[in-house]
Amino acid sequence: MKVIFGNLLGLKAGQIKRLENLSRRRVLPQAIVSHELCRNLCALSAETGRQIGLLIDRSGKIAQVLVGEVDRILIPDLREYRLAPDRLRGLRFVHTHLTDTPLTQDDLTDLALLRLDLMAVVTMTTAGLPALIHWAHILPGASESTPYRIMDPIPPFRPEIDCIGLIQALEAELSRKKADTTGQSGSERALLVSVFTGPRKDAIDSLDELKELAHTANISIIDTVLQQRKKANPRFLMGSGKLDELSIMALHRGATLIIFDQELNPSQIRSIADRTEIKVIDRTQLILDIFAQRAQSREGKLQVELAQLKYILPRLVTKDTAMSRLTGGIGGRGPGETRLEINRRRARDRIRGLEHAVATVQKNRRQQRSRRSKKGLPIISIIGYTNAGKSTLLNQLTQSRVLAENKLFATLDPSSRRLRFPRDIEVIITDTVGFIRDLPKELMAAFKATLEELKNADLLMHVIDISNPRHPDQIRSVETILTELNLCDIPTIRVLNKMDQVEPETCDHLIRRLNGIAVSALNRSTLKPLSEKMEVAVAPLYGINR
Ligand SMILES: Nc1nc2c(ncn2[C@@H]2O[C@H](COP(=O)(O)OP(=O)(O)OP(=O)(O)O)[C@@H](O)[C@H]2O)c(=O)[nH]1
Ligand SMILES: [Mg+2]
């Protein structure tokens, strides 16, 4: 097994031999390092002009010997060593500094980021002898700016500090912190991250929506992080330094998940998850997950599972890798029942099966619909951004009880009701899944059939939540989706909902500017002008003219 890492170029054979010998030493459990090892490390450092370090495991065995440069030393990939939220890495790192500089910021970052048991620096005298051992340990539950504690230096001839006892106490504390934070219903705790290149205001608005999405998915939000960049980093989206800060923050605040507001391509998801060692998802996956939680009908469930698998497939690492951190769902909820342990081949088979099943269900529904349309009733479809109040409006107009709640995507499965106007005009009115900005294309594809039913509508009612400050963007998103679905030619009424939440002057202004009808779907008495307008719009279909 390889034990020496780093740049060995220019070292003499005898020096390499001595490095190898170091790896065979042992350290007593209570000591950070032994006095003898300190002397050897310093002597070799002085001779070679390089920092030399040891990764020592809990039994006192030297796991790796590292050779650095004059002023720095790199710790190699430690992924093969275990890591759990309430555990440390099981390795401490002791290395030399050629001068008397104590722990540097890099040392402390390594300590926190790699979750080392301890980090120690042996400083040297000009004669190449050990001067002092400076050391620090992680501080469980501390704020992310100083997630460690620097201890008083100790003399190299007395390196005993009850090392193992201390490490065990730290892990006990980490366990306790973890129990505190995951106590409530074991729900996920997320850091929300946005890396933006455009205007800050847009990024903040979008992040606000991401918060609502997270809330809808029952995820608690620990914190949000915004980073502005001239250009997104192709590998990690954000800068690698910032990503390291983010990992430290995630570990110390007990986050179980990082959610990016921007769509991550397959290789970015992998690089970020590898580097942070925590589950990473993007906005699209979050939306897919909400759909998975909420789908009720068989058709809805099939469509969502299909969309999730299509999104995840390119994100599976290699041919037969089991999905672990990349598993679509949050909190272990993956696509349908089949989550986890899916490999590419199985994913592809499953996709084919699902496509077939969806097609069958849709054929049945088409038949039902043609039966219904034979009855010849005009169809009015309620559409709009998610949470605009579409279901509430349907309920109020038809006195029914479709689920309406203050969460995004309360409605996934379309539902239809009859509505009778005076003068014997009767229509079918349908409620649909809400739209959202950048509706994931996998979802668009999966819900295509549902959305295409909108083509049969004789009238669309575009419900707009005018109390939401983001409503101008929401209108734009909805209209873009309507264009993509080729629905722009259908007559549309803009329904300005939640008028109870805005000032009357603002409302009047919006009525004129958006050419809409204001209502409060919660309050039946406000709906009269709207139903009149609806009636006027469908009357010609009955050959009635006012
Ligand atoms: N204040 C106020 N709240 C309203 C009004 N209409 C709807 N709401 C609330 O807005 C929230 C969303 O309403 P829904 O009817 O579920 O919205 P939706 O458009 O069907 O949403 P999705 O199905 O999730 O896309 C609920 O909490 C409603 O009570 C209104 O006129 N005024
Ligand atoms: Mg709804």
Side-chain angles (χ1 to χ4, degrees):
M1 199 181 75
K2 191 172 172 200
V3 286
I4 308 184
F5 292 82
N7 177 10
L8 305 187
L9 266 177
L11 294 188
K12 301 200 179 83
Q15 289 167 338
I16 293 178
K17 189 96 210 132
R18 279 156 67 200
L19 286 167
E20 269 165 15
N21 285 340
L22 283 183
S23 71
R24 285 192 273 277
R25 306 292 169 78
R26 267 186 179 267
V27 178
L28 291 176
Q30 70 271 26
I32 295 187
V33 60
S34 67
H35 187 203
E36 195 212 345
L37 272 171
C38 278
R39 282 204 314 262
N40 283 324
L41 284 180
C42 291
L44 268 163
S45 276
E47 257 183 70
T48 56
R50 301 196 190 161
Q51 294 188 3
I52 311 244
L54 302 173
L55 281 163
I56 305 170
D57 73 13
R58 300 234 175 122
S59 69
K61 252 178 65 192
I62 313 288
Q64 293 177 3
V65 179
L66 310 184
V67 182
E69 305 296 329
V70 61
D71 55 353
R72 78 200 120 92
I73 190 161
L74 269 183
I75 302 178
D77 191 345
L78 297 181
R79 247 174 300 163
E80 67 189 82
Y81 297 89
R82 64 169 180 177
L83 194 63
D86 53 347
R87 302 310 280 282
L88 296 172
R89 185 72 65 164
L91 294 172
R92 75 192 92 125
F93 186 50
V94 179
H95 67 292
T96 53
H97 277 182
L98 295 172
T99 55
D100 57 0
T101 345
L103 294 157
T104 62
Q105 194 53 51
D106 279 351
D107 293 331
L108 295 167
T109 305
D110 279 348
L111 167 68
L113 200 58
L114 301 172
R115 288 168 84 75
L116 298 170
D117 288 354
L118 300 171
M119 168 62 85
V121 161
V122 185
T123 51
M124 287 163 54
T125 64
T126 42
L129 291 171
L132 280 173
I133 301 175
H134 297 265
W135 64 291
H137 64 72
I138 277 185
L139 206 50
S143 78
E144 65 280 7
S145 55
T146 47
Y148 41 76
R149 177 184 285 145
I150 300 175
M151 309 299 285
D152 289 337
I154 51 176
F157 50 86
R158 296 217 19 217
E160 295 85 19
I161 53 154
D162 186 17
C163 206
I164 294 301
L166 172 69
I167 293 165
Q168 279 165 353
L170 290 173
E171 288 198 333
E173 183 68 14
L174 282 169
S175 270
R176 223 172 40 75
K177 283 270 160 18
K178 184 176 167 245
D180 285 355
T181 54
T182 50
Q184 341 91 337
S185 72
S187 73
E188 298 265 9
R189 294 164 46 86
L191 277 179
L192 306 189
V193 182
S194 171
V195 182
F196 62 100
T197 47
R200 173 169 285 267
K201 183 181 169 302
D202 292 354
I204 292 173
D205 281 354
S206 178
L207 202 57
D208 282 343
E209 186 174 270
L210 192 70
K211 283 185 202 161
E212 286 163 26
L213 286 165
H215 167 75
T216 296
N218 291 323
I219 295 172
S220 29
I221 300 165
I222 300 183
D223 217 332
T224 56
V225 177
L226 270 164
Q227 195 196 20
Q228 182 159 28
R229 285 183 68 91
K230 285 212 181 64
K231 227 176 111 229
N233 176 323
R235 180 128 180 254
F236 300 122
L237 201 66
M238 53 176 33
S240 63
K242 187 80 183 173
L243 185 64
D244 288 349
E245 274 174 38
L246 191 70
S247 316
I248 295 174
M249 182 168 172
L251 291 165
H252 281 270
R253 303 279 295 271
T256 55
L257 178 68
I258 301 181
I259 308 177
F260 279 82
D261 198 22
Q262 287 73 23
E263 185 161 316
L264 299 172
N265 66 35
S267 80
Q268 284 169 333
I269 284 225
R270 278 198 293 273
S271 318
I272 297 173
D274 270 358
R275 179 107 173 197
T276 56
E277 297 187 70
I278 179 172
K279 188 164 44 184
V280 174
I281 65 171
D282 60 12
R283 178 176 179 276
T284 303
Q285 258 173 301
L286 179 59
I287 294 175
L288 287 168
D289 198 85
I290 293 171
F291 273 67
Q293 274 180 54
R294 305 205 139 227
Q296 296 290 329
S297 70
R298 180 168 146 72
E299 183 178 9
K301 285 184 179 154
L302 291 171
Q303 284 168 324
V304 173
E305 183 174 353
L306 190 57
Q308 281 185 305
L309 279 175
K310 284 193 169 162
Y311 193 73
I312 293 166
L313 186 62
R315 287 162 175 78
L316 292 175
V317 191
T318 50
K319 191 152 111 265
D320 276 321
T321 324
M323 288 196 272
S324 52
R325 271 200 298 263
L326 296 178
T327 309
I330 42 189
R333 281 186 311 266
E337 303 302 310
T338 42
R339 54 190 177 259
L340 296 175
E341 308 303 303
I342 278 187
N343 62 34
R344 268 173 194 265
R345 186 179 50 74
R346 283 190 43 208
R348 274 199 210 98
D349 289 349
R350 179 89 190 138
I351 285 177
R352 261 195 300 277
L354 283 168
E355 278 170 343
H356 183 71
V358 169
T360 313
V361 176
Q362 281 168 357
K363 204 169 106 205
N364 292 342
R365 209 151 53 90
R366 259 198 305 277
Q367 282 162 359
Q368 273 173 17
R369 196 178 59 218
S370 70
R371 251 176 272 143
R372 194 168 66 208
S373 65
K374 284 209 188 86
K375 290 193 195 127
L377 295 183
I379 298 174
I380 299 181
S381 291
I382 306 180
I383 54 135
Y385 211 79
T386 180
N387 211 40
K390 301 177 294 297
S391 302
T392 312
L393 182 65
L394 175 83
N395 288 341
Q396 200 65 261
L397 285 169
T398 62
Q399 280 158 46
S400 43
R401 289 154 155 250
V402 169
L403 171 77
E405 60 174 336
N406 195 14
K407 290 210 163 176
L408 308 188
F409 303 113
T411 309
L412 278 199
D413 299 312
S415 52
S416 305
R417 295 285 182 279
R418 284 189 181 212
L419 174 63
R420 184 179 282 273
F421 291 108
R423 298 189 183 198
D424 269 354
I425 295 181
E426 203 178 5
V427 298
I428 289 181
I429 179 159
T430 68
D431 180 20
T432 40
V433 52
F435 294 174
I436 193 161
R437 178 177 62 81
D438 301 334
L439 188 71
K441 63 177 190 309
E442 291 78 8
L443 269 182
M444 270 284 240
F447 278 81
K448 203 163 188 278
T450 314
L451 294 170
E452 275 187 344
E453 278 201 19
L454 292 172
K455 287 203 180 114
N456 299 314
D458 298 291
L459 176 67
L460 297 179
M461 296 211 290
H462 176 179
V463 180
I464 298 160
D465 173 0
I466 52 171
S467 73
N468 189 318
R470 300 190 298 270
H471 76 261
D473 283 333
Q474 298 180 337
I475 296 176
R476 228 169 295 138
S477 300
V478 169
E479 289 179 349
T480 308
I481 295 170
L482 289 180
T483 312
E484 281 167 22
L485 294 170
N486 281 326
L487 298 170
C488 337
D489 295 338
I490 303 177
T492 304
I493 301 177
R494 281 181 168 172
V495 181
L496 314 187
N497 191 28
K498 309 197 189 180
M499 66 184 285
D500 53 299
Q501 298 292 307
V502 296
E503 296 295 328
E505 306 84 74
T506 316
C507 188
D508 288 342
H509 170 73
L510 288 173
I511 291 174
R512 268 177 276 121
R513 204 167 55 125
L514 299 175
N515 186 23
I517 297 185
V519 299
S520 171
L522 288 179
N523 180 354
R524 196 168 165 71
S525 68
T526 63
L527 298 185
K528 198 152 183 284
L530 176 64
S531 13
E532 280 172 7
K533 180 134 185 181
M534 287 161 68
E535 195 183 354
V536 170
V538 292
L541 297 169
Y542 274 80
I544 301 174
N545 283 312
R546 284 212 149 180

